[in-house]
Amino acid sequence: MRRLLALLFLLAPLTTALAQSLPKEKELDTLVQRTMTTFEVPGIAIAVVKDGKVVLSKGYGVRKLGETAPVTPETLFGIASNSKAFTATALAMLVDEGKLQWDDRVIDHLPSFQMYDPYVTRELTVRDLLVHRSGLGLGAGDLLYFPASSFTEDEIVAKLRHIRPASSFRSRYAYDNILYLVAGKVIEKASGQPWGDFIRDRIFTPLEMKSSNTSVADFRPGANVAMPHAKADGRLQAIAPMSFDNNAPAAAINSSVNDLSRWMLVQLAKGAIPGSSGAKRLFSEKQSREMWSAQTVQPISEPPKPLAALKPEFSAYGLGWGLRDYRGHKLVTHTGGLPGYVSRVVLVPSLGLGVAVLTNQEERGGFEVPAFAILDSYLGAPRTDWVAAFKAADEEKTKKAELAVNEKRTARSTESKPSLPLGKYAGTYRDAWYGDATIALEGDRLVLRFLRTPALTGELEHWQYDTFVARWRDRTLNADAFVNFSLKPDGAIDQLKMQPVSPLTDFSYDFQDLLFTQVKQAEGAAVTQTQP
């Protein structure tokens, strides 16, 4: 779902010393405090497990900016795409029970399921739902549920048939969220339980993950919950937790580091439930190997210069997990990103080591710095100032993005005017997979509204010619978008296309995949061109 959701460890093999131990408490505390200050993170929670035991479970900072309630090991955070491993594990449990197989065709479980290409519909397997190689583009269809929408799960699954592929089936990696919803529907069909009930009854309960849940609707007033935070025009503020109930299998779990400790222990024990001496299992060793085996090869890109030493030798996606190497060790890992929450879970099977870092702000450095520092300590690696490294990488990325936006601003024709009077752009527009959006003339400004996504409401500011910029009223979205109208020879509006203004816009705002056509003009809006 979110850009941070898709970032998997950018790591490199370096010569390692003998495994060491957790950093000294005072040293780790100082590092985390520096991290929170540098990246403006109100609260962080960290868990570390080693050799079948919990060696650290600790909270830092506050749950909400401006308040004093502290983050504790029991504090709930949205773990976002770290939910994907739970969905994969649920499927693995059903494979163990003989209720499905990884290479079953999806249509054998969900006969009404359709993708855009009939061949893909026929051949897509349960395994394909988890491994980001369906042919869909990066984040394709995410606007159906992100930001929070009124579409139902069934409506979203039905709309898949209208989303055009970006590449050939199984030809390349492109991170997606929407097929995890289909995986959740397969779980429901095979088990007889909705995804959320299965996760609660079959995973949370036997692992004694007593505070975890699968919906922000389960939050209660006064509960120990970290509020998410995001920046609006550069100013950090608390925001309301966003509901993802209509794509829960991809990103909806809320958990604490106490609970995630038990989750990491069962994963490192290859399915054996902690405290059961191996007698009770959540899933088999065979399924553990399957989930941690490379399914889709990922391209390896050059990291930012400050993080150049972190380039991996191999990168792949397993079943709900990313697979990378770091200092000669295989990592099983994933990130998660929702509005106001980002997180990291990383397992080092060869060391029996697991680290989880949860934060209530959207800065990558907030979760990467503690995770790297803890890994390096156990690996006996040379000391690295990860705070400085990630801060420099952020500044470099921000500078490049600002230059790109400024280049567009400099190149535009500031003296150009729209081809039509503003009222002529008003009307109802329809995209094949998203549905309807409206444009209305309110006063002297055009206002764009995505009808099923309340947060996507904003004024259209003229940019040049027949291109405008949608400035969303909710400034925490940080996703302003170009809106371009193309006209027919008679001056009627033919199409409306969109694309993000900034390269830093989260990929889940897949505006570029939309192709709107006008289906109804606003009443009284004649289509005549403005006279020169």
Side-chain angles (χ1 to χ4, degrees):
M1 180 182 139
R2 308 264 295 167
R3 185 184 306 278
L4 287 166
L5 303 174
L7 291 171
L8 299 172
F9 247 47
L10 300 170
L11 305 169
L14 301 174
T15 303
T16 62
L18 293 176
Q20 303 294 309
S21 62
L22 187 70
K24 293 180 180 179
E25 184 175 5
K26 184 176 180 180
E27 180 183 351
L28 182 60
D29 290 351
T30 299
L31 175 71
V32 175
Q33 292 297 334
R34 183 178 167 217
T35 299
M36 291 193 295
T37 299
T38 302
F39 298 102
E40 297 182 74
V41 182
I44 293 177
I46 301 174
V48 180
V49 300
K50 182 74 168 72
D51 298 330
K53 297 180 180 179
V54 178
V55 295
L56 176 72
S57 187
K58 189 170 184 177
Y60 298 85
V62 295
R63 302 175 212 165
K64 184 178 180 180
L65 194 65
E67 298 186 1
T68 59
V71 172
T72 71
E74 294 81 23
T75 300
L76 289 176
F77 293 75
I79 70 169
S81 279
N82 278 302
S83 304
K84 288 180 168 66
F86 286 81
T87 298
T89 295
L91 288 169
M93 294 164 68
L94 293 170
V95 172
D96 275 337
E97 294 168 10
K99 294 182 178 179
L100 57 82
Q101 298 298 319
W102 289 115
D103 295 314
D104 286 352
R105 297 187 306 171
V106 174
I107 56 173
D108 291 335
H109 294 274
L110 305 173
S112 64
F113 171 76
Q114 288 186 46
M115 296 286 281
Y116 187 89
D117 186 331
Y119 172 77
V120 178
T121 298
R122 187 177 71 245
E123 297 299 325
L124 195 81
T125 66
V126 173
R127 185 189 306 273
D128 289 322
L129 295 173
L130 306 183
V131 297
H132 312 296
R133 65 184 185 192
S134 68
L136 291 175
L138 175 64
D142 281 0
L143 284 171
L144 291 170
Y145 67 91
F146 172 86
S149 78
S150 62
F151 291 111
T152 67
E153 292 180 348
D154 290 340
E155 285 178 311
I156 294 173
V157 173
K159 285 175 175 290
L160 271 167
R161 69 195 65 186
H162 302 296
I163 302 178
R164 292 175 177 269
S167 65
S168 298
F169 185 41
R170 296 179 181 148
S171 65
R172 68 177 177 88
Y173 174 88
Y175 191 88
D176 81 80
N177 292 293
I178 201 166
L179 290 180
Y180 271 78
L181 174 56
V182 182
K185 290 296 182 182
V186 171
I187 291 168
E188 181 175 356
K189 185 66 179 293
S191 70
Q193 285 187 291
W195 174 86
D197 291 350
F198 188 99
I199 298 298
R200 182 193 63 227
D201 297 344
R202 301 290 307 278
I203 297 180
F204 291 166
T205 297
L207 294 185
E208 298 184 17
M209 297 175 66
K210 296 179 181 179
S211 61
S212 297
N213 63 52
T214 60
S215 173
V216 297
D218 293 333
F219 291 163
R220 296 291 177 261
N224 190 349
V225 176
M227 294 300 293
H229 295 76
K231 290 183 178 179
D233 297 324
R235 181 176 175 274
L236 188 66
Q237 63 184 56
I239 60 176
M242 188 174 288
S243 171
F244 287 87
D245 289 354
N246 52 359
N247 192 5
I253 290 176
N254 304 292
S255 193
S256 67
V257 290
N258 266 1
D259 281 1
L260 288 179
S261 296
R262 301 189 66 79
W263 171 244
M264 292 190 293
L265 288 172
V266 77
Q267 291 290 332
L268 289 166
K270 300 180 180 179
I273 294 176
S276 68
S277 301
K280 296 182 180 179
R281 304 192 65 86
L282 201 65
F283 51 87
S284 66
E285 288 193 35
K286 178 181 179 181
Q287 297 311 320
S288 176
R289 290 192 299 271
E290 193 75 22
M291 288 187 284
W292 291 0
S293 295
Q295 309 288 329
T296 304
V297 174
Q298 294 177 270
I300 297 175
S301 58
E302 291 294 329
K305 290 182 180 179
L307 303 176
L310 306 180
K311 185 178 179 180
E313 290 295 319
F314 80 89
S315 179
Y317 201 87
L319 298 175
W321 292 98
L323 309 172
R324 296 266 173 148
D325 62 287
Y326 182 54
R327 301 187 187 276
H329 292 269
K330 176 183 177 179
L331 300 184
V332 179
T333 184
H334 216 290
T335 57
L338 292 174
Y341 293 121
V342 290
S343 59
R344 163 76 74 187
V345 174
V346 56
L347 309 174
V348 190
S350 60
L351 299 181
L353 174 67
V355 181
V357 183
L358 307 179
T359 79
N360 60 352
Q361 219 270 61
E362 296 181 356
E363 290 287 344
R364 180 187 175 196
F367 64 77
E368 298 285 33
V369 169
F372 273 98
I374 292 168
L375 289 176
D376 285 350
S377 183
Y378 274 100
L379 294 169
R383 286 181 176 271
T384 300
D385 188 346
W386 292 120
V387 173
F390 277 99
K391 183 63 174 177
D394 284 352
E395 290 173 347
E396 179 181 313
K397 179 177 65 175
T398 300
K399 183 178 180 180
K400 287 181 178 179
E402 289 174 347
L403 286 173
V405 173
N406 285 335
E407 286 177 2
K408 296 174 185 176
R409 185 176 291 112
T410 301
R412 72 171 174 160
S413 175
T414 57
E415 297 180 355
S416 65
K417 297 182 182 300
S419 299
L420 306 173
L422 291 184
K424 306 304 189 288
Y425 296 94
T428 299
Y429 294 80
R430 181 166 297 156
D431 173 75
W433 59 265
Y434 176 83
D436 290 356
T438 64
I439 295 176
L441 183 60
E442 300 180 9
D444 61 351
R445 303 295 293 273
L446 291 171
V447 177
L448 171 63
R449 290 180 172 85
F450 280 59
L451 294 187
R452 304 293 292 273
T453 311
L456 292 180
T457 298
E459 282 73 23
L460 295 185
E461 175 186 296
H462 184 248
W463 181 258
Q464 64 177 350
Y465 303 109
D466 292 313
T467 298
F468 297 76
V469 174
R471 305 287 187 193
W472 309 116
R473 291 174 178 173
D474 182 349
R475 302 309 296 159
T476 66
L477 299 183
N478 293 306
D480 289 349
F482 288 116
V483 177
N484 177 255
F485 299 88
S486 59
L487 306 182
K488 298 177 182 178
D490 65 356
I493 294 174
D494 184 22
Q495 295 178 338
L496 183 161
K497 295 181 180 180
M498 300 178 66
Q499 67 181 66
V501 170
S502 171
L504 295 181
T505 302
D506 191 280
F507 68 76
S508 285
Y509 294 101
D510 55 321
F511 297 124
Q512 69 281 351
D513 295 331
L514 298 166
L515 179 60
F516 286 106
T517 56
Q518 193 177 54
V519 294
K520 183 181 179 182
Q521 278 188 281
E523 187 174 349
V527 183
T528 56
Q529 287 187 295
T530 302
Q531 296 299 314

